[in-house]
Amino acid sequence: MFVTISGPAGVGKSTTAATLAEALGYDHVSGGDIFREVAAERGLTALELNRQAEEDDAIDRALDRRQRAVAAERDEVVLESRLAGWMAGEHADLKIWLDAPLDVRATRIADREDKPLATAREETEARAESEAKRYREYYGIDFDDHSIYDLSVSTARWSPEAVSRVLGEACAAYDPAADEGGVEVDVAYDL
């Protein structure tokens, strides 16, 4: 089975995906880790790399090509990134959306990155606007369109362990033979 986990910054994608992958005995591939590594290699913050990506679409396209290749070539993977569900397209068996209010997400980011809450909130909003603009321009994706996802969970409502249990149950209950089809994702992106 191939599972994707998507959602905005600070929602707990990495934590949830790592825990779920471990529970399933799957590999975990993180788009956020890849993005942060690229930013660090260039001596930039994630926000600065996001701003560069607004001018240089090769940055996003290279990362998205890698996600698409993982989805096409592998199985027993939990792929997480903002666009994992969109990039995996027809290869994903289950596409999961995680969400939480901005205040919750900004607090998590502030704690994780040891920065003032106001700064984390401002950067999170700016980054989200930058990314949404690029997703529309590059791929025609409306980041606020969650209709492609099979399951949506608020990570503000349950602990990380409880969220992972809910998703683990969903994965365990998934039966490809009973699957009458999810929302088709046409991956005709110019990557």
Side-chain angles (χ1 to χ4, degrees):
M1 180 166 47
F2 194 98
V3 180
T4 68
I5 296 183
S6 303
V11 78
K13 291 182 303 298
S14 296
T15 300
T16 302
T19 304
L20 181 61
E22 183 178 337
L24 296 172
Y26 288 5
D27 289 332
H28 168 220
V29 177
S30 169
D33 286 348
I34 296 166
F35 195 85
R36 283 186 288 276
E37 286 171 15
V38 171
E41 288 167 8
R42 295 176 182 215
L44 302 170
T45 67
L47 180 58
E48 290 168 336
L49 184 61
N50 260 309
R51 289 190 174 133
Q52 273 191 7
E54 289 177 2
E55 305 300 322
D56 181 3
D57 67 345
I59 294 169
D60 282 326
R61 293 183 192 278
L63 295 170
D64 295 339
R65 267 194 304 277
R66 183 169 173 184
Q67 288 184 71
R68 185 74 179 141
V70 167
E73 298 167 3
R74 298 179 58 191
D75 200 22
E76 296 188 348
V77 170
V78 176
L79 172 66
E80 57 94 0
S81 76
R82 306 252 202 297
L83 293 182
W86 291 96
M87 291 299 126
E90 73 278 10
H91 301 292
D93 295 298
L94 288 177
K95 294 184 287 295
I96 298 165
W97 175 261
L98 300 180
D99 209 349
L102 176 60
D103 288 340
V104 171
R105 295 184 294 111
T107 299
R108 291 174 181 170
I109 291 167
D111 291 345
R112 177 181 73 205
E113 297 179 7
D114 193 29
K115 60 176 64 172
L117 179 57
T119 302
R121 183 182 175 95
E122 181 181 311
E123 289 177 357
T124 300
E125 287 180 304
R127 194 169 159 196
E129 290 172 16
S130 171
E131 291 169 345
K133 176 182 173 190
R134 293 193 323 268
Y135 302 155
R136 270 191 314 275
E137 288 176 4
Y138 299 167
Y139 309 127
I141 293 172
D142 176 359
F143 190 65
D144 293 325
D145 176 7
H146 305 153
S147 66
I148 69 160
Y149 298 100
D150 302 303
L151 182 62
S152 179
V153 177
S154 170
T155 63
R157 302 282 296 174
W158 295 280
S159 70
E161 298 78 21
V163 169
S164 293
R165 281 195 309 274
V166 167
L167 299 182
E169 287 293 323
C171 290
Y174 178 71
D175 177 4
D179 187 345
E180 296 182 286
V183 174
E184 291 293 320
V185 179
D186 180 24
V187 182
Y189 316 127
D190 180 20
L191 299 175

